[in-house]
Amino acid sequence: MVLAAAVAGVTAWSATAQSETVAHRDAQPERIMKGREVFHFKTVAEMASTSTAVVHAEVVDVKPGRIVGDAESGGVDQAREVTLSVDTSFRRPFVSAPSTIVLEEWGWDESGNGYQVGNVTWSAVGDKGYYFLARTDDESRWRLVNTQGRALESPDLFLTSSADPGSEIHREIQSADSLHFNVYLKRLLDTKNPSPDLPRPQAEPEGLTGDAADVPAPDDDIEEPIPDDSVDDGSEPGSGG
């Protein structure tokens, strides 16, 4: 299966599916899915400019989230609901925002089999890092602006990018430590003294925009890669946490 705009919010959430009991839900992803991206960035500055919000935050809770789709549209998928405790907001609308936000990531298929999208590994309580965000169709939930939009912080303050290894933006993020990255974002996104280094936001391409592009795409029979820590047998018990 290939997800369209895989890190984005979706439009056709199923209230019926949401109320159904899930008999099985993997505790870790068994597949790495590919997806069509609305945006692609070469630099952190491009990504920061296009993101609605940029924050430094810690994951304080993870639980199963909303369910989208139906059999007629290609299947049912369930998001993971990640609660972030925000300690630094680098641009509006987060100047006076609540201290916690809800981030959606993927996810499970209709059988409860876990998958991650691209290099966006599943969040865990205690994760800290930088999140480049956009709105979902629900004003109370957010998503990564694309699969490049997360930089996790190690205990020694080095960063791990969710962008494709070997890409320009991946090299840029992983060559910086968290302290220098924080200073850079504050300068780049200073609303009182706009940085000349901040490019114009990327426009969403016609025909693949926002929530309209977020319905899971039909199965294309392409075998997806398997995460390093997966047993790939569909047997893991789990509560989805």
Side-chain angles (χ1 to χ4, degrees), residues 28-104:
Q28 63 188 40
E30 291 189 342
R31 285 281 187 267
I32 299 174
M33 300 295 193
K34 296 176 291 183
R36 292 195 306 268
E37 299 270 36
V38 175
F39 300 110
H40 179 76
F41 306 111
K42 291 184 178 181
T43 67
V44 170
E46 290 179 354
M47 184 163 65
S49 176
T50 304
S51 300
T52 305
V54 181
V55 302
H56 181 271
E58 179 177 359
V59 176
V60 294
D61 189 36
V62 182
K63 62 185 179 182
R66 300 189 293 173
I67 294 175
V68 61
D70 51 46
E72 290 72 22
S73 65
V76 174
D77 290 87
Q78 184 171 23
R80 304 179 81 238
E81 190 168 280
V82 179
T83 301
L84 300 176
S85 176
V86 176
D87 60 63
T88 307
S89 302
F90 295 96
R91 67 171 300 171
R92 296 178 179 176
F94 270 79
V95 173
S96 59
S99 59
T100 60
I101 61 174
V102 175
L103 171 71
E104 289 188 322

